[in-house]
Amino acid sequence: MIFKSFFPSATIVNALPIRMSRHSPYKALSNRRLREQSRVNMMKLVRDTLKPLLGIKQDKEISEKTKNGQHMASPDEVDNFDNGSIPAPSLTNFCPYWDDIYCSWKESLAEKFIDQILDTNPELANEREDMKKHFFQRLETLKREPKRHTPRFNETEAQMTQRTERQDSITLARTCVQDRQLTLFRSRETICREKLGGCDWDIWKALLELVLTLRTEGQSSNESSDEGQDRFTVRHRPWRSEHVTELLQFIDSHRETLNNYGNSLPGKPFRTQVRKSNPPRTQDRPISGLPRNVYSLDFLSTRRSDLLNHLDVQDPI
């Protein structure tokens, strides 16, 4: 049976991620922590509250605002505020001082900004400091946009527009892949955890260990969009064991799509997977630092010894 052949023991080996060059043939597992949903909601609330104050819907629009002198505090205003000769900045005419994100002017703006959020969301009072940090982080991110939309040396306006559009498309594609992988990871983790209370808990415990070992990077990215928005062609990962693919498919087959009343669950449904007999190959690099039985035997047997060392294969799970 595939479960017994794949899991020789119930002990999982968590490999520490290693730092790799971006030119490496392999991609290392990240050590970033998955954000709690409450934190994701808080960050979204900060972003959604900040954009109307700046009169923007997208980050790149801040370049036009600052180019026209809008939403910008002058050095004289900041100095006069520090000297106490003018009142504190207000949210009505929201003007950050972009040259220094962490000055007293920005501190005053941040406190009023958080107060405004807490007026309608008092349950977030314990997250005040986190919201304040994210407020400053958002301003740091926005601060880079005007520089990015300024022509470089010997660069025309048309070339600058072409460069920024290309950067935006690359960022969007990368973000879409990461979002899909994260959604798939959380879905599979949830399925496994919900099944731990049943009679087959030992099987689901092993499957949960597999999902946690693969992390977000080990999930399929569903990167092809040639089939439309509601379906995609599954791409073959030649480095990953077919046993792993079968186990992940087994987990996916237990995903609930209907509620107790037979109606569709809320939220965007998962897209239909199209599996072809001769599937296209993924463009992702193989992931390093995974247990030996996660990799395909054919893939490992064809690696040169130096490449195999870089792969950093761990003990099987």
Side-chain angles (χ1 to χ4, degrees):
M1 188 171 177
I2 186 172
F3 299 106
K4 294 183 178 179
S5 64
F6 186 81
F7 298 104
S9 70
T11 303
I12 182 172
V13 178
N14 285 319
L16 291 176
I18 57 175
R19 184 175 179 84
M20 305 188 77
S21 166
R22 62 190 180 96
H23 303 294
S24 170
Y26 308 123
K27 180 168 64 174
L29 286 169
S30 69
N31 58 354
R32 66 176 183 272
R33 295 173 57 188
L34 294 176
R35 295 192 183 106
E36 300 262 340
Q37 189 59 44
S38 59
R39 177 166 177 78
V40 173
N41 295 339
M42 178 274 290
M43 294 168 68
K44 183 178 185 301
L45 179 61
V46 171
R47 291 195 303 271
D48 292 346
T49 306
L50 183 58
K51 287 179 180 178
L53 294 176
L54 292 169
I56 63 174
K57 293 183 178 179
Q58 296 179 327
D59 288 2
K60 61 183 179 181
E61 296 174 6
I62 194 63
S63 300
E64 287 298 320
K65 297 290 183 179
T66 54
K67 187 184 297 184
N68 298 328
Q70 297 176 278
H71 302 289
M72 293 179 64
S74 67
D76 289 340
E77 286 179 300
V78 175
D79 289 339
N80 291 334
F81 169 68
D82 288 340
N83 297 332
S85 55
I86 63 172
S90 69
L91 298 183
T92 305
N93 182 25
F94 190 73
C95 293
Y97 183 52
W98 298 102
D99 290 342
D100 186 359
I101 296 295
Y102 301 100
C103 64
S104 57
W105 178 276
K106 285 285 182 61
E107 284 284 344
S108 178
L109 272 181
E111 292 297 331
K112 292 185 176 181
F113 178 82
I114 303 305
D115 287 340
Q116 177 175 299
I117 291 181
L118 293 180
D119 285 342
T120 53
N121 301 272
E123 70 279 2
L124 299 178
N126 293 334
E127 299 186 43
R128 185 181 187 94
E129 286 303 313
D130 284 340
M131 286 193 288
K132 187 175 179 179
K133 288 179 182 178
H134 191 56
F135 170 80
F136 286 131
Q137 289 171 358
R138 286 300 302 155
L139 292 180
E140 282 284 6
T141 300
L142 292 169
K143 179 181 176 181
R144 293 193 289 266
E145 286 298 313
K147 182 178 180 181
R148 196 168 70 90
H149 286 82
T150 300
R152 296 174 178 174
F153 181 69
N154 286 338
E155 186 180 54
T156 65
E157 287 282 344
Q159 290 172 331
M160 179 208 69
T161 302
Q162 187 179 28
R163 169 176 56 80
T164 55
E165 287 178 349
R166 185 170 62 251
Q167 290 173 342
D168 290 341
S169 65
I170 292 173
T171 301
L172 178 61
R174 186 183 299 118
T175 302
C176 287
V177 169
Q178 292 173 346
D179 287 347
R180 287 193 293 263
Q181 288 178 317
L182 180 58
T183 299
L184 198 54
F185 171 83
R186 283 179 169 157
S187 170
R188 288 168 172 166
E189 181 189 14
T190 300
I191 292 171
C192 292
R193 291 192 185 279
E194 289 177 348
K195 298 291 184 180
L196 288 178
C199 57
D200 295 329
W201 66 269
D202 52 339
I203 291 178
W204 287 103
K205 181 176 182 292
L207 290 173
L208 176 61
E209 289 176 345
L210 172 63
V211 173
L212 296 179
T213 300
L214 290 172
R215 304 190 199 179
T216 54
E217 294 88 351
Q219 317 300 317
S220 301
S221 64
N222 305 352
E223 62 221 55
S224 66
S225 58
D226 54 311
E227 301 290 340
Q229 294 184 347
D230 60 340
R231 49 198 281 134
F232 68 93
T233 300
V234 176
R235 290 179 177 258
H236 177 54
R237 292 189 151 193
W239 59 269
R240 198 170 71 180
S241 168
E242 288 296 328
H243 293 322
V244 173
T245 302
E246 292 176 14
L247 291 172
L248 295 177
Q249 290 176 12
F250 175 79
I251 297 173
D252 293 340
S253 68
H254 288 75
R255 184 181 295 119
E256 297 288 346
T257 58
L258 302 176
N259 60 21
N260 294 335
Y261 299 98
N263 300 320
S264 298
L265 293 172
K268 186 178 179 180
F270 278 81
R271 294 190 296 170
T272 303
Q273 296 179 337
V274 179
R275 298 187 180 275
K276 298 182 178 179
S277 56
N278 187 22
R281 291 195 171 195
T282 180
Q283 299 176 359
D284 288 347
R285 290 178 295 169
I287 298 174
S288 65
L290 292 173
R292 180 174 297 278
N293 51 343
V294 168
Y295 296 105
S296 164
L297 293 179
D298 291 339
F299 171 77
L300 293 178
S301 63
T302 56
R303 298 295 94 182
R304 298 199 315 263
S305 58
D306 57 333
L307 293 178
L308 206 55
N309 290 333
H310 282 295
L311 190 59
D312 191 31
V313 179
Q314 302 295 310
D315 294 335
I317 58 174

